[in-house]
Amino acid sequence: MSHFSDKIDTVKQYLLQLQSSICTSLEALEPEQRFAEDNWQRPQGGGGRIRILENGSVFEKGGVAFSHVTGTELPPSATAHRPELAGAKWQAMGVSLVIHPRNPFAPTSHMNVRFFIAEKPGQEPVWWFGGGYDLTPYYGFEEDCIHWHQTAEAACQPFDPNLYDRLKAWCDDYFYLKHRDEPRGIGGIFFDDLNDWSFETCFAFMQSVGNSYIPAYLPIVEKRKDTPYTEANRQWQEYRRGRYVEFNLVFDRGTLFGLQSGGRTESILMSMPPVVQWRYCFEPEPGSPEQALLSHYLIDRDWLGRG
């Protein structure tokens, strides 16, 4: 197990460095506000380091969280697909972030990379990686969506030429609001339970995903952050943010795992947008940019134009 402890430590050091580099890159766009750091300890084992930026001129709210938590018994959400691990000791570590720009023409983004280890006495540790990123625009721009997906494909390409297509489909399927019958956004890539390759290759892929997030997202925010907008644009943004909240509270496995495992509520819910509204039976005007988001962007599409 000591040999495996070295691997765990290597992953942890990468994740801490990733959190710092992402925060530095995001702050480069923000004139004055900076990420505040909150270190916390979990009574049941482990802890984390959260960095939160609020009330920026570019980013209305952003949270970039590192956590490394341990437990003596896996919760139900983690063993639904692996019943043989019920009751195992476990460790989970990862970086998770959600960024909510102020400008309605700049999209919200989410990224997560994580590593999970389960152990039962007398058995080899069972480990897997997971993660991905997805984009939630409030107004659609073809070139932004294409850039986002091209960057995701480039992160997957060295590992398997067909990998992007599989993870894109997985993302589309996962970030879907069944009760609304609509996608949360324009997708990206999503993977979980990754242990098909060697530990080194799986870890390298997780790093490829984590390292490609800023190249995928920052150019889009730079392009859209100063776009003039009206109060009506802002109202639409706040209304669509409601879908984000609905997904996180109803479907998101990470949220459910955190709450079921006695996680820190403030950390788990840091992804929530700062200002949201729900309107009864609201429908955008036919032919409007708002309606175009629903009809042209929030649909199953091949953004790379290969089909």
Side-chain angles (χ1 to χ4, degrees):
M1 182 60 199
S2 60
H3 170 61
F4 201 76
S5 297
D6 293 342
K7 292 181 176 179
I8 293 172
D9 194 56
T10 303
V11 176
K12 183 172 184 175
Q13 294 312 310
Y14 165 72
L15 292 169
L16 286 165
Q17 169 266 317
L18 178 67
Q19 181 194 34
S20 294
S21 66
I22 287 174
C23 290
T24 301
S25 298
L26 293 170
E27 282 179 342
L29 288 191
E30 191 60 68
E32 293 178 8
Q33 291 289 67
R34 293 293 173 259
F35 282 93
E37 183 168 297
D38 182 19
N39 290 281
W40 55 276
Q41 295 296 315
R42 182 170 175 271
Q44 303 93 322
R49 183 175 81 181
I50 289 201
R51 291 183 177 160
I52 295 278
L53 190 154
E54 293 182 292
N55 296 317
S57 58
V58 175
F59 301 114
E60 190 171 5
K61 184 183 177 190
V64 186
F66 164 81
S67 64
H68 179 196
V69 296
T70 61
T72 54
E73 197 167 319
L74 273 169
S77 63
T79 55
H81 304 297
R82 296 171 178 267
E84 73 279 7
L85 294 179
K89 279 174 53 182
W90 58 273
Q91 296 185 56
M93 65 177 74
V95 167
S96 181
L97 65 83
V98 176
I99 307 298
H100 294 288
R102 184 174 297 279
N103 192 305
F105 293 98
T108 285
S109 71
H110 159 256
M111 191 277 288
N112 172 271
V113 285
R114 57 192 178 273
F115 179 45
F116 206 97
I117 311 105
E119 295 176 76
K120 280 194 162 180
Q123 298 179 16
E124 284 289 304
V126 176
W127 55 266
W128 63 91
F129 290 91
Y133 46 67
D134 63 288
L135 196 70
T136 307
Y138 306 103
Y139 289 90
F141 297 96
E142 291 271 333
E143 63 267 35
D144 293 358
C145 301
I146 292 168
H147 167 77
W148 179 257
H149 279 274
Q150 282 176 337
T151 310
E153 186 198 32
C156 298
Q157 192 62 33
F159 297 87
D160 178 343
N162 301 313
L163 187 58
Y164 162 78
D165 291 329
R166 294 205 306 270
L167 301 193
K168 189 249 186 211
W170 197 345
C171 187
D172 288 342
D173 185 56
Y174 182 75
F175 290 105
Y176 195 83
L177 287 89
K178 300 177 185 70
H179 62 292
R180 297 281 190 184
D181 196 23
E182 67 181 42
R184 183 169 87 171
I186 60 108
I189 50 176
F190 179 85
F191 68 100
D192 204 1
D193 298 326
L194 176 68
N195 60 3
D196 312 32
W197 308 317
S198 70
F199 172 86
E200 288 72 22
T201 303
C202 292
F203 179 32
F205 177 63
M206 187 194 82
Q207 291 176 79
S208 185
V209 172
N211 295 345
S212 66
Y213 165 74
I214 284 293
Y217 186 52
L218 225 59
I220 297 172
V221 178
E222 283 187 282
K223 196 183 295 183
R224 307 298 170 195
K225 66 184 177 67
D226 298 318
T227 305
Y229 62 88
T230 65
E231 179 57 28
N233 299 142
R234 178 73 176 166
Q235 296 273 323
W236 172 248
Q237 177 196 40
E238 292 175 4
Y239 170 71
R240 290 300 306 176
R241 280 174 171 177
R243 300 294 203 266
Y244 213 87
V245 175
E246 290 175 25
F247 181 87
N248 278 20
L249 292 182
V250 177
F251 298 112
D252 189 77
R253 274 174 61 184
T255 302
L256 298 176
F257 171 77
L259 296 173
Q260 288 179 0
S261 61
R264 182 173 181 262
T265 304
E266 283 297 310
S267 304
I268 297 161
L269 300 182
M270 70 154 196
S271 61
M272 295 304 174
V275 183
V276 191
Q277 56 174 289
W278 279 267
R279 295 166 68 181
Y280 183 73
C281 289
F282 175 65
E283 294 287 342
E285 290 289 319
S288 66
E290 290 80 10
Q291 201 276 327
L293 177 79
L294 308 183
S295 62
H296 189 66
Y297 290 89
L298 299 189
I299 57 172
D300 186 9
R301 282 184 63 178
D302 169 17
W303 290 101
L304 303 183
R306 300 171 309 183

